[in-house]
Amino acid sequence: MKHRLLILLVYMLGTVTFVYGNPDFIKGGFAYDILHGGPFVIISRAYTSGMSEEIFREEFCIPSSVEYQGRTYKVKGVGDDGFSGCTEIRNLVVDDGVEFIGKNAFANCVNLLSVEIPSSICAVDGAAFWGCRNLETIKVASNNACLDSRDNCNGIINSELDELVVTCVGTTIPSTVKSIGQSAFNNRSDICEVVIPEGVRKIDGFAFSGCINLKHIAFPSSLEVIGEGVFSGCKSLKSLYIPRNVRKIESDGGVGMFAGCDSLETVVVDKGNPFYDSRKGCNAIVETESSKLIAGCAISKLVESLKDIGEYAFAGTGIREIHIPQSMTGFAVNAFCDCDALSRLTVHKDNPLYCSPNACNAVIRKDSAILVLGCVGTVIPEWIKVIGENAFLGRPIAKYILDLPVGLEEIRSGAFCLCDNIFELIIPSSVTSIGMSAFSRCPKLAVVRMSGLVKELEELLFADCSNLSVIDIPEGVSVIRWFAFHGCSKLNHVIFPSSLTLIEDGAFSGCPCEEDIKKLNLH
């Protein structure tokens, strides 16, 4: 049960937008939230319509204190998203006494030109100035004990860690920096080439993510750690060279390292690296000890001697063809999430575990009739008994109408999740079990025809299928689990069987028919 609750929580957090409640008070166009009864407040958001034009002409000042109803409050910081999208701000000055600037606090302030950070600020989120494409100058007070902008670098550096955490158009990387912080250069369209200076040991997650014009990046020999998704969305990146001292590459956080790197032609690991390699010109990064491919691109090859493919290794890439070599004895199915172009799957005839008979364009377990990996070109064999977990996750299928074969017995969790081109789904009477999220987030799914011996509709089964409007639930179904139809915003009509005994809370949350279903008293 705890595992199910965690999955539901993660799913819901990924689909819900959180909004602030009413502020405790508003003054001068700033909304303030009182912390624990005072005397401290944070600025939670701005109402620029309530500010005079003079405020924006020269310096836009974040105050360190505010008076309200005869009481003085100290401003601790600017909350997440507080001034996001305030295009009027040009020159930002923060009063001494303010201690932090939150995530996206000034994101997309596209006319922001300069920022002055006082000595009191001890924390600035790496995404605080995300999308400020005209920001040219960042200065940190020289007496700040936590942060600095050494060597006039036009960035914000964590002094204790020697970590560059915030950058702008005019940023240069000082030679004394030891790490590049998370999202430090995220979505910087002005960058075409980067040379990381010697001494840098770590590049944190998403540091260069979304740098769409970045073509070349040179790593220093001192580099030891590369975080997850560092180059995701760098569609102009042409080549990458991993130096010999890199000992850790984080690659299982849900985003492929080369997702969206459409121009990537060469991936090479230094031959002297004892931890990783790019054996036999595979154009990928392989964990040497385990022979696991952990990051690949559109032109990578699965060469003999590879034993495994890691989590999200090819996620979001334009790879078109995969051939499973004889040596491979396992792979993470989500390695190919969002690989829309993947259309051909083959397996070496002597592979001990997998096969792909009769050019079916699928990977099937030899020891059972389980389809473990499919793609847009897959023809599901009639003799298949099980569609494996995440088998088609995040990939389109060839047919507009998905008519599953008679004889199929089980559809496992996430099997067709995020398949964005299914319009009609036909589930045969032979199916006795369908796992959670099996068809969730299929945005075009409008028609579902079910028959058979399924007794429970599991959690999130059709969640966020925004075009699903009518469903006839077959006889035999006794339970509809939490969030099974959550977010099906066009689901106006549901036909229930006489066998139904329980509809769990939230099963139809966000559906037009939600209130009518509550009247059934099956909770």
Side-chain angles (χ1 to χ4, degrees):
M1 178 59 73
K2 287 183 179 179
H3 178 65
R4 287 184 171 184
L5 286 171
L6 178 60
I7 293 174
L8 289 169
L9 178 61
V10 170
Y11 185 97
M12 294 302 293
L13 287 175
T15 58
V16 175
T17 299
F18 292 95
V19 295
Y20 288 108
N22 293 325
D24 291 310
F25 64 91
I26 299 171
K27 186 173 182 180
F30 293 171
Y32 294 90
D33 288 339
I34 300 173
L35 301 178
H36 309 298
F40 299 106
V41 294
I42 64 168
I43 299 175
S44 59
R45 72 187 109 158
Y47 294 94
T48 55
S49 59
M51 301 178 193
S52 66
E53 291 185 8
E54 293 181 0
I55 294 177
F56 301 106
R57 284 176 183 170
E58 294 185 4
E59 294 182 349
F60 183 85
C61 183
I62 302 298
S64 59
S65 64
V66 61
E67 292 187 6
Y68 181 71
Q69 294 185 345
R71 187 177 184 183
T72 300
Y73 295 91
K74 295 180 180 180
V75 177
K76 294 284 284 186
V78 181
D80 294 354
D81 302 295
F83 293 85
S84 178
C86 291
T87 58
E88 300 94 337
I89 303 174
R90 286 172 173 77
N91 299 292
L92 175 66
V93 176
V94 182
D95 272 358
D96 208 7
V98 178
E99 297 179 11
F100 71 87
I101 298 175
K103 185 177 181 180
N104 296 323
F106 295 92
N108 296 313
C109 293
V110 295
N111 291 313
L112 183 62
L113 300 174
S114 67
V115 174
E116 292 187 21
I117 303 295
S119 62
S120 58
I121 291 280
C122 57
V124 179
D125 188 90
F129 300 99
W130 181 88
C132 296
R133 61 175 182 264
N134 290 306
L135 181 58
E136 296 179 346
T137 305
I138 300 176
K139 292 182 179 180
V140 179
S142 60
N143 59 341
N144 189 307
C146 301
L147 308 172
D148 67 81
S149 52
R150 65 190 70 167
D151 302 333
N152 295 315
C153 66
N154 279 316
I156 300 177
I157 296 169
N158 181 312
S159 302
E160 182 180 2
L161 301 176
D162 289 322
E163 179 177 88
L164 180 62
V165 293
V166 176
T167 69
C168 69
V169 173
T171 298
T172 57
I173 305 174
S175 59
T176 53
V177 165
K178 294 180 180 178
S179 63
I180 309 296
Q182 183 165 335
S183 303
F185 289 87
N186 183 274
N187 282 318
R188 288 274 303 280
S189 60
D190 59 296
I191 298 175
C192 295
E193 185 172 350
V194 174
V195 177
I196 309 294
E198 282 294 335
V200 171
R201 297 177 181 174
K202 181 180 181 181
I203 300 176
D204 218 333
F206 306 100
F208 294 92
S209 175
C211 293
I212 59 174
N213 293 312
L214 177 62
K215 295 180 179 179
H216 303 286
I217 184 164
F219 290 142
S221 60
S222 58
L223 187 64
E224 297 178 358
V225 179
I226 300 175
E228 66 170 307
V230 164
F231 304 106
S232 58
C234 294
K235 66 179 184 179
S236 300
L237 186 66
K238 293 183 177 297
S239 62
L240 189 69
Y241 180 82
I242 306 296
R244 65 189 307 154
N245 292 316
V246 172
R247 57 179 174 78
K248 184 178 182 181
I249 298 176
E250 298 170 353
S251 57
D252 58 356
V255 177
M257 175 177 282
F258 302 127
C261 294
D262 301 333
S263 302
L264 192 57
E265 298 173 349
T266 306
V267 179
V268 176
V269 179
D270 189 283
K271 290 183 179 179
N273 190 305
F275 303 100
Y276 300 98
D277 64 77
S278 50
R279 63 189 66 178
K280 300 179 181 179
C282 64
N283 272 315
I285 301 174
V286 180
E287 190 178 72
T288 302
E289 183 178 4
S290 64
S291 291
K292 177 193 292 186
L293 188 152
I294 63 166
C297 63
I299 61 170
S300 295
K301 296 179 181 179
L302 302 185
V303 298
E304 285 295 342
S305 78
L306 290 176
K307 295 181 180 179
D308 199 357
I309 305 175
E311 302 273 331
Y312 302 99
F314 289 92
T317 68
I319 194 163
R320 296 176 178 274
E321 180 177 345
I322 288 291
H323 176 73
I324 304 296
Q326 180 180 350
S327 57
M328 188 161 288
T329 55
F331 58 85
V333 176
N334 61 19
F336 304 99
C337 181
D338 292 327
C339 291
D340 291 351
L342 185 59
S343 58
R344 189 162 185 257
L345 292 169
T346 57
V347 181
H348 191 284
K349 63 183 180 63
D350 295 323
N351 186 289
L353 293 180
Y354 304 113
C355 64
S356 184
N358 302 319
C360 66
N361 277 314
V363 179
I364 297 167
R365 292 272 309 195
K366 281 185 174 181
D367 58 357
S368 59
I370 302 177
L371 190 154
V372 294
L373 181 64
C375 66
V376 69
T378 296
V379 177
I380 302 174
E382 292 294 326
W383 45 268
I384 286 293
K385 298 297 182 184
V386 178
I387 305 294
E389 184 173 351
N390 299 329
F392 291 85
L393 174 68
R395 291 180 298 281
I397 61 170
K399 295 183 178 181
Y400 189 59
I401 299 175
L402 179 58
D403 189 355
L404 295 170
V406 174
L408 183 69
E409 297 174 357
E410 182 181 359
I411 303 169
R412 292 183 178 170
S413 298
F416 295 93
C417 178
L418 290 166
C419 289
D420 59 10
N421 65 330
I422 302 174
F423 172 77
E424 183 175 353
L425 170 64
I426 302 172
I427 301 175
S429 58
S430 55
V431 173
T432 59
S433 175
I434 307 176
M436 65 183 298
S437 298
F439 298 95
S440 65
R441 299 184 182 183
C442 293
K444 294 181 182 178
L445 181 60
V447 179
V448 175
R449 288 192 277 164
M450 295 179 64
S451 57
L453 303 175
V454 176
K455 294 182 179 180
E456 296 186 2
L457 301 188
E458 293 288 352
E459 292 98 329
L460 304 167
L461 180 57
F462 293 102
D464 287 328
C465 292
S466 54
N467 266 314
L468 185 60
S469 56
V470 177
I471 187 166
D472 186 349
I473 298 173
E475 284 294 335
V477 172
S478 59
V479 178
I480 301 176
R481 296 292 182 192
W482 296 345
F483 306 109
F485 294 90
H486 163 78
C488 294
S489 55
K490 292 184 180 179
L491 187 56
N492 291 297
H493 188 59
V494 182
I495 300 175
F496 293 107
S498 60
S499 56
L500 189 65
T501 59
L502 175 65
I503 300 175
E504 291 190 340
D505 290 341
F508 292 87
S509 60
C511 301
C513 59
E514 181 179 12
E515 292 304 316
D516 292 334
I517 289 167
K518 288 179 180 178
K519 297 175 183 178
L520 295 175
N521 293 320
L522 292 175
H523 294 272

